[in-house]
């Protein structure tokens, strides 16, 4: 690991000032991606800005018809929150499926969304629920936020402060986990609001998380797992690796989508 300067700001304003002072500074949230790459000397930022002690970035509230979660709220806190369970129960369930207990008690929701790992769970929920990513500079709708593998609309020095999830009529998430890492080999989130539906797939797309519009149209006409029968996902848009090829992932996406709908009720 290369030498670096470590900073522990107490406010978003202080953190933003530190990031502005060094264009190569990196934010430390959970550190599950940043720290391993630094240890392997694949990354060598000279400035680390740790958000772990910024109190204003933590907390869970229900505001009107939205569930608002602070960016530094951990997966374990989301999983155990009565507010989350009351508003979007299966979002709390999704949080229980992330990694192991150590990961869930250290990793925050904002770090996961900002990193946009192609096999992460939260991006599918953010996209399916049409959430808004709020930063210290602006608000970004989910459809405009995810730009590709490990890529988002975040600009240099921009900090996610919270995520606002519209409370849906129904929401479900199902994934087939890679046994060693527990990342999603394929994960599908489904949400119904009024007569419209949104379906997001993670762990499978060659460009990261994406919406499955054909499934959305079918569920908009009739909310049931049977509505998804015969709807194929283009294998050409899916990734292949040692865990599963594109055709397998395309098929598995249909299976997980049906399970997510059944789970949502």
């Amino acid at each position: 690991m290369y030498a670096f300067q470590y900073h522990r700001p107490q406010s978003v304003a202080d953190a933003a000032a530190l990031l502005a002072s060094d264009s190569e500074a990196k934010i430390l949230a959970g550190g599950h991606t940043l720290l391993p790459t630094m240890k392997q000397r694949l990354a060598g930022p000279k400035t680390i800005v740790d958000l772990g002690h910024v109190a204003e970035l933590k907390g869970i509230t229900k505001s009107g018809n939205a569930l608002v979660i602070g960016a530094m709220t951990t997966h374990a806190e989301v999983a155990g929150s009565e507010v989350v369970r009351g508003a979007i129960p299966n979002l709390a369930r999704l949080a229980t499926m992330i990694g192991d207990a150590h990961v869930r008690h250290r990793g925050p929701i904002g770090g996961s969304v900002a990193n946009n790992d192609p096999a992460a769970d939260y991006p599918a929920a953010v996209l399916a629920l049409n959430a808004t990513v709020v930063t210290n500079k602006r608000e970004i709708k989910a459809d405009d936020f995810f730009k590709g593998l490990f890529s988002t609309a975040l600009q240099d020095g921009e900090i996610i402060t919270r995520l606002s999830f519209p409370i849906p009529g129904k929401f479900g998430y199902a994934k087939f986990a890679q046994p060693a890492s527990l990342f999603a080999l394929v994960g599908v989130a489904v949400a119904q609001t009024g007569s419209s539906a949104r379906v997001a797939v993670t762990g499978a797309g060659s460009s990261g998380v994406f919406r499955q519009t054909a499934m959305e149209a079918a569920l908009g006409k009739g909310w049931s797992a049977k509505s998804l029968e015969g709807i194929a996902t283009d294998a050409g848009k899916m990734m292949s690796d040692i865990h599963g090829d594109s055709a397998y992932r395309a098929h598995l996406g249909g299976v997980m989508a049906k399970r997510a709908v059944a789970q949502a009720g």
Side-chain angles (χ1 to χ4, degrees), residues 194-218:
S195 60
S196 64
R198 289 173 67 100
V199 179
V201 182
T202 189
S206 56
S207 297
V209 64
F210 67 94
R211 287 175 60 186
Q212 222 293 9
T213 54
M215 291 183 180
E216 291 177 352

Side-chain angles (χ1 to χ4, degrees), residues 44-67:
K46 294 182 178 180
T47 303
I48 296 294
V49 180
D50 185 352
L51 300 181
H53 292 264
V54 181
E56 62 192 283
L57 294 178
K58 301 179 182 180
I60 301 171
T61 60
K62 183 175 179 291
S63 179
N65 195 44
L67 175 68

Side-chain angles (χ1 to χ4, degrees), residues 131-169:
T132 299
V133 180
V134 182
T135 77
N136 60 321
K137 297 181 179 181
R138 56 185 170 144
E139 297 184 357
I140 311 170
K141 296 299 293 184
D143 286 331
D144 300 320
F145 183 79
F146 301 106
K147 297 297 185 181
L149 303 179
F150 297 102
S151 178
T152 71
L154 290 173
Q155 300 171 352
D156 290 343
E158 196 166 11
I159 302 169
I160 297 177
T161 58
R162 61 188 181 276
L163 292 103
S164 179
F165 295 89
I167 298 174

Side-chain angles (χ1 to χ4, degrees), residues 81-213:
S81 169
E82 292 299 329
V83 178
V84 178
R85 291 177 181 176
I88 313 178
N90 281 323
L91 184 61
R93 180 177 175 274
L94 177 153
T96 68
M97 301 164 69
I98 298 174
D100 57 23
H102 297 287
V103 169
R104 291 191 293 273
H105 280 82
R106 175 64 185 174
I109 186 171
S112 175
V113 173
N115 191 45
N116 192 18
D117 188 296
D121 300 291
Y122 277 130
V126 171
L127 196 54
L129 288 165
N130 196 24
T132 299
V133 180
V134 182
T135 77
N136 60 321
K137 297 181 179 181
R138 56 185 170 144
E139 297 184 357
I140 311 170
K141 296 299 293 184
D143 286 331
D144 300 320
F145 183 79
F146 301 106
K147 297 297 185 181
L149 303 179
F150 297 102
S151 178
T152 71
L154 290 173
Q155 300 171 352
D156 290 343
E158 196 166 11
I159 302 169
I160 297 177
T161 58
R162 61 188 181 276
L163 292 103
S164 179
F165 295 89
I167 298 174
K170 297 177 182 179
F171 172 74
Y173 178 70
K175 78 170 178 179
F176 188 89
Q178 201 283 333
S181 67
L182 300 183
F183 272 116
L185 190 62
V186 177
V188 181
V190 298
Q192 181 192 53
T193 302
S195 60
S196 64
R198 289 173 67 100
V199 179
V201 182
T202 189
S206 56
S207 297
V209 64
F210 67 94
R211 287 175 60 186
Q212 222 293 9
T213 54

